[in-house]
Amino acid sequence: MAGLSETRGPAIAAARPRVVAALAAQFRDLDLAEEAFSAACEKALAHDGEIADLAGWLYVTGKRVALNRMRSRAAEARAIAGKATLEPMADILHLPDPIPDERLRLLFVCCHPALALEARVGLALKVVCGVEVAAIASGFLVAEPAMYQRITRAKAKIRQANIPFESPPRRLWPERVQAILATLELAFTLAYGDAAGAGPHAGFGEEVERLADMLAELLPDDPEVPGFAALVKLARSREAARIDAGGAMVPLSMQDPASWDAGRIDAARILLDRAASARRPGPHQVLALVHFTHAKRIFGGEVDWTTIARLYETLATMRGGAPVAVASAVARSLAGTPGAGLDALDGIDPGTAATYLPYHAARADMLRRAGRVEEAAVSYRAALALQPSPAERKFLEERLASLC
């Protein structure tokens, strides 16, 4: 049974968006859909024997759980009549739909403009991707209880406003794209934060790339969509070079370009050219250009930190926040002096900086290069106290040890 559970776990995770989407469409209740899916997962992991159609099995089991819970709550027990029978997932969401993917369809539902942007993104990450609330809160640099309340209120608003669970008309897609891209970006950030690709969010990278490519086909006139797709491809092109033989993270500027995926880089270039032709620059396009400037090292030469610093200055006018501020400070320090970067870091809100690991890691490196060894050690220890991924921890520990 242990062997079945180990092999079934990844398959359950892969089926999650399709099953949750089907249950949500069936019962018009996101909480009930998530609860029913979780219960079905437990039953699947405990089930002794093969399951031919796992997604269909999870759906039917989840539907039975949901009906039982509705009856126990004295809700509308006759919402769905008849006994559930095993049905293939292909027949559950059978109506023709302009959005040909269950996960993307549910993203459009969760990103309804009636909800605040952060609530839309948080809800989509929780329901569609199964990201834990603590990780979502960390991505937004807010407290976990605050994010939990936002997601709870968003679910309630969808229920109370009777927001439909079908795909919106194509004319309404543009008003949801910003939140969808923000959701995918944060999901990809969670995957990218684990250089070794061994954490709970490791699979998000491949899935986000697939959904970004699909969005680029569905929304050819929005330059931010191919810009984001290019960004993901450029970041994924370096996956093979992100850790060394000892399992430590390798910073981007120190990676061997020979290990990068030239095919993905070329595909990203085509997407960026397409985005640029619209002459409507946006944050995802600018960030993709930062990554493309790094990618040019595959053709030889050094990192053009001056260009990267300028791109981050442009990005800061479009999108504020600690991530951009820290990245901009790093670029300034490498284009000029460590002191220039440290001055830029000093402008970040101390309350935000205190719990933001990249801030401490960047500050430690600048102090190290400036020869301020004792202060650098303090910053390295502060970064290590914020629970980095194993590969990043190993890198930070090695840098700290090198100061002695």
Side-chain angles (χ1 to χ4, degrees), residues 264-288:
R264 274 198 172 98
I265 292 172
D266 193 51
R269 179 189 59 77
I270 293 170
L271 285 164
L272 276 173
D273 287 345
R274 175 176 140 195
S277 67
R279 299 186 181 276
R280 298 201 313 271
H284 290 109
Q285 296 170 70
V286 174
L287 194 51

Side-chain angles (χ1 to χ4, degrees), residues 121-311:
V121 174
L123 178 64
L125 284 167
K126 174 70 169 59
V127 175
V128 183
C129 302
V131 178
E132 59 276 14
V133 176
I136 300 172
S138 177
F140 279 106
L141 302 179
V142 300
E144 183 177 349
M147 181 53 65
Y148 181 82
Q149 289 178 354
R150 290 176 191 176
I151 293 173
T152 300
R153 286 196 293 267
K155 288 180 178 178
K157 189 161 188 176
I158 283 179
R159 185 168 55 250
Q160 293 163 5
N162 199 29
I163 292 174
F165 280 79
E166 291 78 27
S167 298
R170 188 177 288 270
R171 61 184 172 78
L172 299 180
W173 289 4
E175 65 186 11
R176 308 192 188 203
V177 171
Q178 180 185 6
I180 291 172
L181 290 179
T183 300
L184 293 177
E185 183 179 2
L186 189 47
F188 188 72
T189 300
L190 289 171
Y192 195 74
D194 176 23
H201 309 120
F204 288 177
E206 180 178 357
E207 182 65 3
V208 169
E209 183 178 21
R210 184 183 72 83
L211 292 172
D213 286 343
M214 190 176 299
L215 270 177
E217 292 181 9
L218 291 172
L219 294 158
D221 298 325
D222 187 333
E224 277 291 87
V225 177
F228 176 72
L231 168 62
V232 173
K233 288 189 182 300
L234 288 165
R236 293 207 70 208
S237 73
R238 304 187 295 265
E239 286 179 352
R242 295 194 67 205
I243 58 171
D244 63 19
M249 180 191 75
V250 180
L252 172 54
S253 60
M254 296 171 60
Q255 291 174 12
D256 179 6
S259 300
W260 294 349
D261 184 341
R264 274 198 172 98
I265 292 172
D266 193 51
R269 179 189 59 77
I270 293 170
L271 285 164
L272 276 173
D273 287 345
R274 175 176 140 195
S277 67
R279 299 186 181 276
R280 298 201 313 271
H284 290 109
Q285 296 170 70
V286 174
L287 194 51
L289 284 172
V290 169
H291 284 257
F292 189 68
T293 303
H294 279 287
K296 288 179 180 178
R297 272 209 302 134
I298 200 171
F299 307 111
E302 301 295 322
V303 181
D304 184 353
W305 286 110
T306 300
T307 295
I308 290 174
R310 288 172 180 164
L311 286 168

Side-chain angles (χ1 to χ4, degrees), residues 81-132:
K83 183 179 179 181
T85 57
L86 187 62
E87 45 195 304
M89 283 299 298
D91 295 333
I92 294 170
L93 297 175
H94 59 279
L95 295 176
D97 198 293
I99 302 174
D101 181 87
E102 292 88 350
R103 178 171 286 190
L104 191 56
R105 192 177 304 134
L106 192 53
L107 277 173
F108 271 90
V109 171
C110 290
C111 291
H112 194 283
L115 308 174
L117 179 60
E118 285 193 4
R120 278 182 267 170
V121 174
L123 178 64
L125 284 167
K126 174 70 169 59
V127 175
V128 183
C129 302
V131 178
E132 59 276 14

Side-chain angles (χ1 to χ4, degrees), residues 338-339 342 364-373:
L342 288 167
D365 186 64
M366 293 176 201
L367 291 167
R368 177 186 65 83
R369 289 188 288 113
R372 295 160 61 177
V373 175

